Amino acid sequence: MVLKIFFPQCCNRADSGLLVGRWVPGFDSVVVLAVIHYPFIPGQVKKYLSEMQSAIQLELTVLGSWSMPKDGQEGMDSFLKDLSTIFPQGRWLQLSRELGKRGFACQVIGRDAAVPPRGQPKEGGDDEKEKVIFIHYDQRKVMLSHLHPAHGQEPAAEGVSELRLVFQTVAQSQPLFFLDKYDDGPIKLTHWQSEGREASILVELIKQASVPMCCVLLRATGVRVTGSWRVLNMWPVRFVSSKLSTCVQLSHRTEHLQTISSPRRAQQHADFMRKANIFVSFLVDIALGLLLISWLYRENRIGRLANTLVPVADHVAKELQELLQWLMGAPAGLKMNRALDQVLGRFFLYHIHLWISYIHLLSPFIEMILWYVGLSACLGLTFALSVVSDIVALLTFHIYCFYVYGARIYCLKIYGLSSLWRLFRGKKWNVLRQRVDSCSYDLDQLFIGTLLFTILLFLLPTTALYYLVFTLLRLGVVLLQGFIHLMIDIINSFPLFAGGLRLFRPYRLAEGVKFKVLCEEPGMSLHLMMEINPLKLSTAVQQYRIPTYSCYPKDSWAALCKKLFVGDLIYPWTPLHKGSKED
Amino acid sequence: MSEEKFTDINGKPISLECRSHSSFCREFVVSAPKVSLRAVMVCTCAVWLSAYAAFFVTKNTAVLSSAIVTTLVGMMVHIHLIKIDHERLLIVGSLGVQVSSCFASGRESATFIEMSSIKDIVINEAIHMQRVIYYLCILLKEPSDPNGVSGVVPLFQSSKPRLNCLVKIYKSCQEILGQC
């Protein structure tokens, strides 16, 4: 069997001492974490290791001895051999380096003190020769990195992976790396931080300030949420606020704030990434919103916007009126039913007249409303976009009403036609059995039914034309609103922190590892260099997407077309009702 | 290090290099033919001639500069993302197998598969367009079923060597897999 020794790069030039690490359970491998230097007292080393073991919850042991010869330090070999009796282990490793050679030499001593010859890479040896592979790793990068489960595998099934155990060992041994060589203690260690711990004053200050700020934020969002529940529990307010995308966005962001401001530190990597992503996207959102405000409130742009809004609404209304006049005449050469045409046309024209009067009533206040509403962009660009979406929805409310009227009339007509068509053929819809059965009708039933059928059939083209025109208009508005909502969704859900981490610190998100064979010398064991293979950017973005209230249409294209044909109302998006929170 | 005359399934010559770092660590490098100068010249001339023709018709210099930019961008995309220079298989007994492809620009993309999830390395047959070819692949273990295969990782997909080359690599790999 081949013994794999994971050796940190920082200890390549360490002075002679004891190797401290962990034997990986279930595999024939060992992870070296640090080197304890001479002089040391064995009793204190054992005490330190048992303290560390209880702190880290890992089985840290003394693995063996490390000898790096320097001038004037001969005679270490016999001293090193005696150490194995002080620290009784199952296997004792004796690693040594020679001056002028790049490879390591390793001797493995079993518990029964049988000493096999040095590990030779040549063929034709005995079966008892222990072959050794040295795998060099960068301790800091492996400690900070998170190994993601392979594509398509659940995390639970990955428990027996050797590399995962190695990564976990190094990551969990952080307390071991707190002692550096400037500490006055009985133990002198070499690891990646033994030159002294580095930290940034800003980061430490932010860490200290974050806890009280989190408590304040939590208190603030909690108060706002509970205080307004009484008002929001009334049905009309709840209904309206579920339709307005601004309110939905507001509740979404409040949830995010609550997630960020929880005072408990994130234990799992996924929780930490989620919090960080939400925080960064929140900051970027607010920054973009403030940028928008600074651009919008200059040079009286609000005033100009308000001044163009009413003429635009007027223009839209005029176009609609012309459209209706066209429909009331002979649109595209089709001959309509005169009476029905006039009724529907006048009905819709009256609606437009009402709408325009309301707009004109509001026109002196529009600038002020816009000015105050524009200030809400300081809460984030997503708010500004949702306000725009709501304004579009309000301004095209009459198109929505026309669509609903047209769709309802058309829908009734289609149902009536289908049921009377069945009567025409002598059949009936059996509600109990949910199928079509034959039925014998009386003569007067047949007479009235056929009459009504003929009337509805000949009125169908007129209604269908109105339905078609208003559905197309409504679809246009829906497309525009859908585009705005898509932008909002992208800003809400894009994981900026994960993307930035992948670009600037790629070793922190690891998909796997890469090995490189280091140049070998004859007579020495195999040395490999283990590097971290970072996650692909697309995978990182996909995995760490922030979940949103995702208002994508639930219907497929076929179902949508069927609904349009039959006349069912289409709701392109229904924001998820946050009813569960009120329980 | 050994090199013999191998070809890929289309008849183009490729080269195989076997390196043995130790009794349980071997590396195989299959190199495809390099970017041929003739193909580059033909493409560039075609693009530029059509750009000159368009310029002659429209008298707009933007056509010429866009042709230059297109050629440059196309070449960079080709050597960085499309043209694979050589494919490498590193097998380390009791650790795992590393499969990597190196592109013409020097970029290397590697995947490492641990020995505990490898069931076997076999030569399989496949129907590729209108012919049947042989390819070397790694069978992955199914965690729940000891006899099942959860996935197949095909090796040397872009260089597609022929059977004689595959047999050589297969024999070498089986020696190492048999040891652990």
Side-chain angles (χ1 to χ4, degrees):
Chain A
M1 270 311 289
V2 181
L3 175 67
K4 290 160 275 194
I5 303 182
F6 288 85
F7 200 79
Q9 274 186 303
C10 47
C11 297
N12 274 352
R13 301 196 160 278
D15 291 335
S16 312
L18 284 177
L19 295 169
V20 166
R22 181 189 184 215
W23 288 92
V24 179
F27 294 93
D28 203 9
S29 37
V30 60
V31 181
V32 174
L33 292 170
V35 176
I36 298 183
H37 297 299
Y38 309 118
F40 58 82
I41 303 174
Q44 281 182 334
V45 169
K46 289 188 190 170
K47 193 169 89 136
Y48 179 68
L49 280 184
S50 61
E51 274 171 18
M52 275 293 130
Q53 232 174 309
S54 51
I56 307 176
Q57 318 283 329
L58 282 180
E59 319 85 49
L60 283 184
T61 51
V62 174
L63 304 168
S65 67
W66 164 252
S67 114
M68 171 83 166
K70 286 208 167 67
D71 303 329
Q73 267 196 352
E74 294 88 6
M76 285 292 237
D77 284 349
S78 55
F79 176 55
L80 294 173
K81 278 206 190 71
D82 297 334
L83 279 176
S84 64
T85 51
I86 307 178
F87 299 99
Q89 306 295 335
R91 277 193 278 188
W92 181 259
L93 302 172
Q94 268 184 265
L95 302 182
S96 59
R97 269 191 94 161
E98 287 162 39
L99 290 173
K101 282 209 181 156
R102 292 179 60 175
F104 297 176
C106 174
Q107 234 175 326
V108 183
I109 307 179
R111 190 192 275 272
D112 51 3
V115 180
R118 269 197 175 179
Q120 302 248 341
K122 301 218 174 50
E123 298 295 322
D126 310 334
D127 289 347
E128 292 144 23
K129 248 190 288 203
E130 185 97 35
K131 297 180 207 157
V132 172
I133 307 180
F134 286 95
I135 302 174
H136 298 262
Y137 69 96
D138 184 330
Q139 206 168 38
R140 178 174 161 261
K141 289 193 179 165
V142 170
M143 187 184 80
L144 290 174
S145 130
H146 173 82
L147 193 61
H148 291 79
H151 190 61
Q153 274 179 304
E154 308 93 38
E158 288 282 339
V160 284
S161 158
E162 180 180 9
L163 285 172
R164 192 165 290 277
L165 289 173
V166 168
F167 272 67
Q168 269 171 6
T169 308
V170 181
Q172 270 181 282
S173 320
Q174 278 207 10
L176 186 66
F177 306 134
F178 286 165
L179 269 186
D180 56 46
K181 71 184 190 193
Y182 302 109
D183 282 333
D184 284 330
I187 316 257
K188 296 252 176 285
L189 289 171
T190 297
H191 43 73
W192 71 271
Q193 238 181 9
S194 53
E195 295 294 321
R197 287 173 72 187
E198 291 176 1
S200 145
I201 293 186
L202 278 176
V203 169
E204 295 298 319
L205 280 176
I206 292 177
K207 275 194 203 162
Q208 294 297 322
S210 67
V211 172
M213 259 191 40
C214 278
C215 292
V216 164
L217 258 180
L218 198 63
R219 200 79 47 86
T221 52
V223 158
R224 205 198 71 82
V225 158
T226 54
S228 46
W229 268 153
R230 260 169 274 131
V231 172
L232 290 187
N233 266 340
M234 296 193 313
W235 182 84
V237 183
R238 209 163 27 142
F239 177 73
V240 166
S241 70
S242 76
K243 295 287 178 222
L244 284 179
S245 51
T246 320
C247 303
V248 174
Q249 178 70 14
L250 193 68
S251 66
H252 188 63
R253 278 294 187 217
T254 321
E255 253 182 48
H256 279 175
L257 270 181
Q258 280 183 325
T259 323
I260 306 178
S261 54
S262 78
R264 251 183 348 107
R265 277 195 73 155
Q267 297 301 328
Q268 297 286 340
H269 173 83
D271 289 337
F272 165 71
M273 290 297 285
R274 185 148 180 268
K275 271 186 157 184
N277 279 327
I278 292 178
F279 183 66
V280 171
S281 92
F282 202 70
L283 280 183
V284 168
D285 198 17
I286 295 188
L288 286 175
L290 289 174
L291 213 66
L292 181 70
I293 286 187
S294 74
W295 174 82
L296 203 62
Y297 281 77
R298 255 187 257 159
E299 298 168 18
N300 197 21
R301 285 213 177 90
I302 295 271
R304 278 193 275 162
L305 197 68
N307 287 341
T308 55
L309 213 60
V310 173
V312 161
D314 265 344
H315 177 74
V316 167
K318 207 153 67 73
E319 292 290 325
L320 269 179
Q321 276 172 336
E322 280 181 18
L323 182 71
L324 282 168
Q325 296 288 357
W326 180 67
L327 282 178
M328 288 201 324
L334 296 169
K335 188 159 190 303
M336 315 292 283
N337 181 295
R338 194 123 185 89
L340 184 62
D341 222 356
Q342 295 286 325
V343 163
L344 286 176
R346 292 229 184 94
F347 179 59
F348 290 138
L349 276 173
Y350 181 61
H351 259 89
I352 294 178
H353 172 76
L354 273 179
W355 186 248
I356 287 300
S357 330
Y358 284 138
I359 296 274
H360 279 255
L361 212 67
L362 275 181
S363 59
F365 306 111
I366 283 195
E367 182 171 345
M368 197 170 60
I369 295 176
L370 269 185
W371 205 91
Y372 285 112
V373 156
L375 280 183
S376 76
C378 72
L379 291 170
L381 186 64
T382 44
F383 273 101
L385 285 175
S386 26
V387 161
V388 166
S389 159
D390 284 338
I391 289 180
V392 164
L394 284 177
L395 282 182
T396 57
F397 192 62
H398 46 339
I399 296 182
Y400 177 63
C401 287
F402 292 169
Y403 164 71
V404 171
Y405 300 149
R408 285 277 181 242
I409 297 178
Y410 179 76
C411 178
L412 280 172
K413 189 167 289 248
I414 290 287
Y415 276 116
L417 269 177
S418 61
S419 136
L420 289 172
W421 170 246
R422 274 179 240 129
L423 176 136
F424 197 62
R425 285 156 49 219
K427 301 209 187 290
K428 194 173 84 152
W429 175 253
N430 191 337
V431 183
L432 212 58
R433 300 281 181 100
Q434 294 288 314
R435 64 175 187 203
V436 178
D437 280 339
S438 61
C439 167
S440 62
Y441 291 100
D442 295 338
L443 190 63
D444 38 358
Q445 281 176 327
L446 277 176
F447 181 60
I448 303 253
T450 315
L451 206 64
L452 283 173
F453 175 74
T454 330
I455 294 175
L456 284 179
L457 184 67
F458 287 132
L459 289 179
L460 186 65
T462 318
T463 337
L465 194 68
Y466 274 92
Y467 173 65
L468 183 72
V469 166
F470 292 131
T471 310
L472 286 176
L473 282 174
R474 173 76 185 141
L475 283 179
V477 172
V478 161
L479 273 174
L480 178 65
Q481 275 194 289
F483 179 69
I484 297 179
H485 278 249
L486 187 69
M487 293 284 110
I488 297 179
D489 207 35
I490 289 179
I491 300 181
N492 266 345
S493 69
F494 192 78
L496 278 171
F497 183 71
L501 207 62
R502 168 63 185 87
L503 286 177
F504 300 114
R505 299 264 185 276
Y507 56 82
R508 288 196 62 168
L509 299 172
E511 191 181 29
V513 295
K514 278 193 285 218
F515 287 98
K516 206 169 64 163
V517 179
L518 296 174
C519 65
E520 65 258 28
E521 290 154 348
M524 289 288 167
S525 331
L526 182 66
H527 288 262
L528 295 173
M529 175 75 205
M530 181 170 91
E531 281 159 357
I532 294 185
N533 205 9
L535 210 56
K536 282 199 262 285
L537 191 60
S538 54
T539 324
V541 163
Q542 211 174 346
Q543 184 153 4
Y544 290 111
R545 264 188 90 233
I546 310 173
T548 59
Y549 50 85
S550 181
C551 34
Y552 291 120
K554 300 180 193 57
D555 298 320
S556 65
W557 286 110
L560 190 70
C561 287
K562 181 169 175 292
K563 274 196 176 173
L564 281 176
F565 186 70
V566 169
D568 273 341
L569 287 178
I570 40 172
Y571 297 103
W573 57 83
T574 40
L576 290 174
H577 205 53
K578 306 276 190 231
S580 54
K581 256 208 280 188
E582 296 158 24
D583 296 342
Chain B
M1 307 238 277
S2 53
E3 299 199 29
E4 293 170 32
K5 291 277 178 287
F6 293 111
T7 59
D8 71 353
I9 56 173
N10 294 320
K12 295 204 199 79
I14 57 172
S15 69
L16 169 71
E17 192 187 317
C18 309
R19 253 187 259 160
S20 175
H21 298 286
S22 124
S23 67
F24 48 85
C25 174
R26 303 227 175 114
E27 191 173 0
F28 307 98
V29 183
V30 174
S31 323
K34 311 273 185 239
V35 179
S36 86
L37 201 59
R38 201 160 62 125
V40 168
M41 297 294 294
V42 162
C43 283
T44 320
C45 288
V47 169
W48 283 1
L49 279 175
S50 49
Y52 267 117
F55 172 67
F56 190 67
V57 166
T58 59
K59 302 269 183 290
N60 190 357
T61 52
V63 171
L64 292 177
S65 33
S66 67
I68 294 178
V69 170
T70 315
T71 323
L72 282 175
V73 169
M75 235 188 294
M76 288 203 292
V77 162
H78 184 76
I79 62 173
H80 196 71
L81 297 174
I82 302 177
K83 175 79 186 132
I84 293 188
D85 190 49
H86 59 267
E87 283 169 310
R88 200 191 290 260
L89 176 73
L90 174 72
I91 176 163
V92 183
S94 85
L95 189 61
V97 174
Q98 173 165 296
V99 181
S100 68
S101 356
C102 308
F103 293 84
S105 64
R107 179 170 82 102
E108 182 157 354
S109 89
T111 327
F112 179 74
I113 306 170
E114 283 187 63
M115 202 50 96
S116 53
S117 43
I118 293 182
K119 191 160 191 284
D120 204 356
I121 298 185
V122 295
I123 297 184
N124 244 352
E125 286 175 335
I127 298 179
H128 175 72
M129 303 287 233
Q130 80 283 11
R131 48 190 167 180
V132 178
I133 59 168
Y134 295 99
Y135 67 100
L136 194 66
C137 61
I138 301 179
L139 300 177
L140 299 176
K141 269 192 208 152
E142 174 91 46
S144 49
D145 175 21
N147 286 338
V149 172
S150 82
V152 170
V153 178
L155 305 173
F156 303 120
Q157 277 188 291
S158 85
S159 23
K160 298 198 193 67
R162 282 207 173 153
L163 190 60
N164 44 3
C165 181
L166 291 178
V167 163
K168 203 158 174 260
I169 303 177
Y170 171 78
K171 282 189 181 151
S172 239
C173 288
Q174 286 297 328
E175 278 171 22
I176 295 190
L177 285 183
Q179 283 174 8
C180 51

